[in-house]
């Protein structure tokens, strides 16, 4: 399993022993989460965007409407807390499922 560290607005992927693997994303990362198997990373930016990326750093897609405060992986999908204090559940394709 890998660990995430936010340093200077970028996500750093580290091995369990702490050794650096790579940087992921741009210089505007507010929060990041990694899925259970370590293959995908969710990045919430200071601008409210949520990016789904591979563990290699490749951009996959944007999740949500650009009004996110925080996004996390859950067993049901991706939970996005919006700036309007709503919690949306979305799938990995970005499709809205329902409010939580």
């Amino acid at each position: 399993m890998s660990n995430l560290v936010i340093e200077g607005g970028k996500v750093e992927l580290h091995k369990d022993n702490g050794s650096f693997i790579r940087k992921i994303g741009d210089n505007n990362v507010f929060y990041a989460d990694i899925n259970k198997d370590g293959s995908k990373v969710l990045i919430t930016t200071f601008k409210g965007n949520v990016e789904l990326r591979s563990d290699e750093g490749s951009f996959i897609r944007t999740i949500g409407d650009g009004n996110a405060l925080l996004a996390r992986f859950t067993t049901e999908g991706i939970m996005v807390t919006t700036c309007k204090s709503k919690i949306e559940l979305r799938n990995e394709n970005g499709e809205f499922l329902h409010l939580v």
Side-chain angles (χ1 to χ4, degrees):
M1 184 65 151
S2 301
N3 298 306
L4 299 176
V5 175
I6 298 174
E7 184 68 39
K10 286 191 177 183
V11 177
E12 292 183 354
L13 189 63
H14 291 262
K15 293 182 181 177
D16 284 336
N17 65 9
S19 62
F20 175 80
I21 300 172
R22 75 182 54 82
K23 288 188 179 184
I24 299 174
D26 299 324
N27 291 328
N28 60 352
V29 176
F30 173 72
Y31 184 81
D33 192 28
I34 193 165
N35 69 348
K36 191 173 184 176
D37 68 6
S39 63
K40 294 180 183 156
V41 176
L42 270 179
I43 294 174
T44 307
T45 69
F46 282 106
K47 294 180 181 179
N49 297 317
V50 177
E51 299 175 357
L52 181 64
R53 292 183 175 261
S54 72
D55 63 338
E56 297 291 322
S58 301
F59 178 81
I60 298 172
R61 72 181 49 84
T62 300
I63 305 289
D65 302 332
N67 62 351
L69 296 176
L70 187 77
R72 297 195 64 169
F73 285 106
T74 67
T75 55
E76 296 87 25
I78 297 171
M79 193 172 302
V80 179
T81 304
T82 70
C83 61
K84 295 180 181 179
S85 300
K86 294 182 180 180
I87 300 174
E88 303 173 345
L89 184 63
R90 294 182 173 266
N91 64 20
E92 284 192 13
N93 290 329
E95 297 167 339
F96 176 82
L97 300 174
H98 59 81
L99 293 175
V100 177

